[in-house]
């Protein structure tokens, strides 16, 4: 079943769990994420970042629709970190059922103006929008460019932002960073802030940079109202670490169908752990 970002997240919000948004960059990763979500009877969001879009192209989106339509679990296809109005129109045209406009590095009023413009266009064709307020940190060059420091989301600003833009879900900064944390950095989430924001805005809240955060912190965040957690680095590390082992084990290997199954198994183990942690296992039955 193919769902919009709103129809998939509203049920998570009403039932107090989080849906993993797994970033995928190739077809094998996509089918691995779909297979494990079906095995766990878990709703899933397929997230594709602009760098990933340029790698796989939007030609793959109709094939994802086909897979979603015959799936036993709810699936939304989400454009992650849209950078401009034009990019969001491209996403809608390509068949994404959910988009994120990220103008969070711009001043508040500019962020509101761009996000509202995207919301007006996307809602006209039934596509829901995720906005972002505050600055999620970046641990490496794959994160939000220029965002070294975390700027925590202010609850009162969040209320204004949601009212003025009409977003369907909101990514907030409560202490996570994109990418993997260096050994000397210990991420600590501001659960108090999350509680205040959720009490004030009520809509589904989104946590970016969810890889490598301690499990206990993430499950507490889910309990306090996070309904979507983006997972990119963790599944990619599992996939490619295993791929390096496989490739290193036999220099004659060349066929993708001989190389990819083991890395996909490793990706599925990591994804399954996130699905369980976020309380999403078995929740397909609610849809
Ligand atoms: Zn992100």
């Amino acid at each position: 079943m193919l769902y919009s970002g709103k129809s998939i997240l509203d049920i998570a919000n009403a039932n107090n769990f989080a849906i993993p948004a797994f970033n995928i960059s190739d077809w094998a990763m996509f089918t691995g994420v779909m297979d494990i979500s079906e095995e766990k009877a878990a709703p899933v969001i397929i997230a594709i970042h602009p760098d990933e879009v340029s790698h796989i192209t939007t030609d793959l989106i109709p094939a994802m629709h086909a897979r979603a339509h015959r799936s036993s679990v709810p699936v939304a296809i989400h454009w992650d970190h849209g950078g401009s109005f034009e990019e969001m129109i491209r996403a809608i045209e390509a068949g994404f059922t959910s988009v994120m406009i990220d103008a969070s590095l711009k001043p508040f009023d500019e962020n509101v103006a761009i996000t509202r413009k995207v919301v007006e266009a996307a809602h006209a064709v039934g596509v829901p929008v995720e906005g972002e307020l505050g600055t999620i940190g970046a641990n490496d060059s794959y994160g939000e460019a220029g965002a070294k420091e975390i700027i925590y989301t202010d609850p009162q600003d969040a209320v204004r932002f949601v009212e003025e833009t009409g977003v369907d879900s909101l990514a907030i900064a409560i202490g996570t960073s994109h990418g993997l944390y260096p050994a000397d950095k210990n991420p600590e989430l501001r659960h108090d802030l999350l509680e205040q924001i959720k009490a004030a805005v009520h809509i589904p809240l989104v946590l970016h940079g969810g890889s490598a955060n301690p499990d206990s912190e993430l499950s507490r965040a889910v309990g306090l109202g996070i309904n979507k957690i983006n997972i990119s680095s963790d599944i990619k590390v599992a996939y490619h670490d295993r791929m390096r082992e496989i490739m290193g084990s036999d220099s004659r290997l060349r066929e993708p169908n001989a190389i990819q199954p083991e890395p996909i198994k490793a990706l599925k183990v990591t994804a399954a752990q996130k699905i369980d942690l976020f309380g999403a296992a078995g929740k397909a039955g609610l849809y």
Side-chain angles (χ1 to χ4, degrees), residues 22 34 38 41 47 49 60 71 75 85 103 118 132 143 149 172 198 204 211 219 226 237 242 255 268 284 286:
F22 292 116
M34 288 301 301
E38 286 162 357
H49 182 278
L60 224 46
S71 178
V75 185
F85 179 77
V118 169
E132 178 174 324
E149 288 301 315
I172 57 170
K198 189 70 178 192
S211 281
S219 62
I226 291 288
V237 167
R242 189 73 185 114
E255 295 297 333
K268 286 173 68 179
L286 293 172

Side-chain angles (χ1 to χ4, degrees), residues 129-157:
V129 179
E130 174 185 332
E132 178 174 324
L133 188 63
T135 306
I136 294 152
N139 288 321
D140 51 39
S141 58
Y142 293 109
E144 286 176 49
K148 289 282 170 255
E149 288 301 315
I150 294 166
I151 300 169
Y152 290 91
T153 306
D154 175 79
Q156 289 319 308
D157 285 351

Side-chain angles (χ1 to χ4, degrees), residues 207-227:
L207 200 63
H208 284 242
S211 281
N213 284 84
D215 286 355
S216 58
E217 297 229 321
L218 290 182
S219 62
R220 209 172 144 212
V222 173
L224 293 174
I226 291 288
N227 302 120

Side-chain angles (χ1 to χ4, degrees), residues 23 49 80-81 100 102 132 136 144 178 207-209 230:
N23 279 83
H49 182 278
D80 190 26
H81 286 286
M100 177 198 191
D102 178 6
E132 178 174 324
I136 294 152
E144 286 176 49
H178 285 109
L207 200 63
H208 284 242
N230 291 25

